[in-house]
Amino acid sequence: LGTAAVGFSISPTVGEQFGALIEASTLFALLTYAGACAAALRSGNALDRALAVVGGGFCAVVVAGASRPALIATGLGVLAIAAAWPLSRVRRVGAR
């Protein structure tokens, strides 16, 4: 995905391109963190749920402040992963 993202993030300078890729990878990490916060909201105790709300709010603030190219790159990555997910499920079920 990183190699494909390089093509989508062509910038005038290598520094700007590297910055865009770093921002996109940060957003990917935040999506994982947001998923953990959602899980804690569903199955945690009161303290876990309170911390999950704070963590989820942090994720929302950071994503809201992201640049448009980083959001596009992250969105394309999420779509690629979502498209590949059913294929991975078929392979695992067939291996049983």
Side-chain angles (χ1 to χ4, degrees), residues 43-74:
S43 62
N45 58 30
L47 178 61
D48 291 341
R49 286 192 292 273
L51 292 173
V53 168
V54 172
F58 173 77
C59 290
V61 168
V62 173
V63 169
S67 68
R68 188 167 189 229
L71 289 172
I72 291 170
T74 303

Side-chain angles (χ1 to χ4, degrees), residues 11-63:
S11 300
T13 66
V14 174
E16 289 177 10
Q17 188 174 13
F18 186 70
L21 292 175
I22 294 264
E23 189 176 5
S25 67
T26 301
L27 291 178
F28 273 117
L30 281 174
L31 290 177
T32 304
Y33 185 68
C37 290
L41 282 174
R42 292 191 62 188
S43 62
N45 58 30
L47 178 61
D48 291 341
R49 286 192 292 273
L51 292 173
V53 168
V54 172
F58 173 77
C59 290
V61 168
V62 173
V63 169

